[in-house]
Amino acid sequence: MKEERLLKPRQDTSATSLTGFQLYPRGPRKSDARHPPGTLFPFRMFTSLPFPARRATLLVGITACLALPAKSQHDVQRNAVQKIALGQHEQVATILAGDKKPNAGKAETLFVETLNLAAQGKIEEAISRRKLALAAGLPLERFVAGPRKVLSKLPPVEGSIDVELVHGPMVGAVTSEAASFWVRTREPATVTIRIGEKEFSNRTTAEADYTTVIRADGLKPMTTYAYKVLVNGKEIPAGQTNLRTFPSRNKPQPFSVGFGGGAGYIPEWERQWDNISTFQPLAFLMLGDNVYIDQPEHSLCQHYCYYRRQSRPEWRRFTARTAIYSIWDDHDF
């Protein structure tokens, strides 16, 4: 008889709604302080109830959840950038000074203040804020990525010339024999993915926001490959640059897949990408509300929301080794 299994939530999932799961065998298990012998887990307790009792329990649970105050994913920094996009610069300081939660922190506030000052042509003040943001720990890539239509008004930040690979690599569209790699560069460039003796290249362009996708084929099923990233022939240091191909069609093999949605951006919670990565999922499914833009008519806010996630080192480590698939939901525009 096959061993029956249940989904067990990870212990460290309070930081974000992107929750990892692991399997554990149903039945006898070692006792500990939290689960003495004979203790029933909540899920097992729930499924053991008669149907009317289960229905009543669900109704009580749903009612309790609806009664709780909702915690918005719409952080104050994103709200402030929406005002910048609308030209309502005088409202930015008030929004950033508020104590509304969630809040993406001091470094992110300084970045938004830099953006607001640059948009108004207050260049010297913007440069001063930019220095403070970098000193507070903001990744240099944030000022290289943009939004360029505003930050290009400032002189290049010191050290930006060395940032050739701004975002990525991000792995996706993996099959048993191929994989794709998404990247963004500082300027138009030829990007090469080297796997063993094979090289696969494509070119980033300004029209595509300095991004491109490189397709690598001729790979073997369910195999781990180390790869290297080169920009204009120069090897670029990047962490976790390995990938696993998928099983062959009609030849099933065990593998794990992660999934989640509602990934609001709070820097201290971004560690969750490293947490999920410890499970080594073959793929991760982004189920919508991935960045919380809520401003479909202004690309400034759209770029801001994507760039800050794509610049996070935790996200870059995770997506460099895990095949990413996603759908859009209402907050992704």
Side-chain angles (χ1 to χ4, degrees):
M1 180 181 294
K2 291 185 178 180
E3 186 180 52
E4 186 177 0
R5 291 175 173 261
L6 296 174
L7 283 174
K8 174 188 176 184
R10 283 200 60 182
Q11 296 302 315
D12 185 18
T13 57
S14 59
T16 176
S17 58
L18 285 170
T19 306
F21 288 88
Q22 64 188 32
L23 292 171
Y24 70 88
R26 181 171 185 161
R29 67 191 301 275
K30 294 181 180 180
S31 63
D32 56 35
R34 293 175 301 161
H35 305 295
T39 299
L40 294 177
F41 289 92
F43 182 81
R44 201 180 307 169
M45 293 175 65
F46 176 76
T47 55
S48 67
L49 294 172
F51 177 74
R54 274 185 280 169
R55 182 171 58 184
T57 302
L58 279 175
L59 289 174
V60 170
I62 292 171
T63 302
C65 289
L66 292 175
L68 293 173
K71 186 174 182 180
S72 173
Q73 295 277 21
H74 309 161
D75 57 276
V76 296
Q77 288 81 7
R78 188 221 63 170
N79 294 344
V81 172
Q82 286 187 339
K83 298 301 182 183
I84 298 173
L86 295 171
Q88 299 170 357
H89 303 287
E90 69 285 350
Q91 298 185 31
V92 172
T94 302
I95 293 173
L96 293 176
D99 59 356
K100 181 182 177 182
K101 303 294 182 181
N103 189 306
K106 178 181 178 181
E108 194 64 33
T109 293
L110 289 166
F111 178 87
V112 175
E113 290 176 346
T114 303
L115 199 65
N116 191 40
L117 290 166
Q120 298 176 77
K122 300 178 180 180
I123 304 304
E124 293 303 320
E125 293 179 68
I127 293 173
S128 177
R129 283 294 196 286
R130 183 175 68 181
K131 290 180 180 178
L132 293 174
L134 292 170
L138 199 76
L140 179 61
E141 289 83 356
R142 290 293 301 281
F143 287 106
V144 179
R148 299 194 190 208
K149 70 178 183 181
V150 175
L151 293 180
S152 61
K153 299 177 181 180
L154 306 180
V157 63
E158 183 179 355
S160 62
I161 193 68
D162 299 322
V163 181
E164 297 181 86
L165 183 66
V166 179
H167 293 147
M170 179 167 62
V171 180
V174 177
T175 69
S176 60
E177 300 175 347
S180 293
F181 302 81
W182 175 93
V183 295
R184 174 178 283 114
T185 55
R186 176 174 51 85
E187 58 186 12
T190 298
V191 181
T192 300
I193 299 295
R194 179 184 293 162
I195 303 176
E197 299 299 320
K198 297 182 179 180
E199 292 188 349
F200 310 88
S201 300
N202 209 342
R203 189 163 180 83
T204 63
T205 64
E207 292 75 17
D209 199 17
Y210 304 92
T211 68
T212 193
V213 174
I214 302 103
R215 186 68 172 170
D217 54 20
L219 307 180
K220 296 180 180 180
M222 212 59 178
T223 302
T224 299
Y225 289 93
Y227 67 90
K228 296 180 179 180
V229 183
L230 295 84
V231 176
N232 291 332
K234 177 184 176 182
E235 185 176 329
I236 304 298
Q240 305 292 342
T241 48
N242 56 74
L243 72 105
R244 283 183 295 161
T245 51
F246 284 9
S248 297
R249 188 182 297 271
N250 299 323
K251 291 184 179 180
Q253 295 187 48
F255 61 89
S256 61
V257 174
F259 58 91
Y265 179 84
I266 302 296
E268 65 178 298
W269 296 354
E270 291 292 294
R271 68 182 185 273
Q272 190 69 3
W273 304 116
D274 284 332
N275 292 345
I276 297 171
S277 188
T278 62
F279 288 99
Q280 299 183 358
L282 194 61
F284 192 85
L285 314 180
M286 304 287 291
L287 301 181
D289 293 347
N290 302 318
V291 288
Y292 283 85
I293 300 171
D294 294 339
Q295 184 50 268
E297 297 181 358
H298 296 277
S299 62
L300 178 74
C301 195
Q302 296 166 5
H303 287 160
Y304 167 78
C305 290
Y306 275 109
Y307 293 163
R308 63 181 186 173
R309 168 60 51 69
Q310 292 163 351
S311 296
R312 289 299 304 187
E314 304 92 341
W315 172 256
R316 295 183 71 178
R317 287 192 294 267
F318 177 58
T319 58
R321 64 178 297 177
T322 308
I324 301 297
Y325 300 84
S326 65
I327 61 173
W328 289 326
D329 204 352
D330 57 333
H331 294 291
D332 292 315
F333 301 93

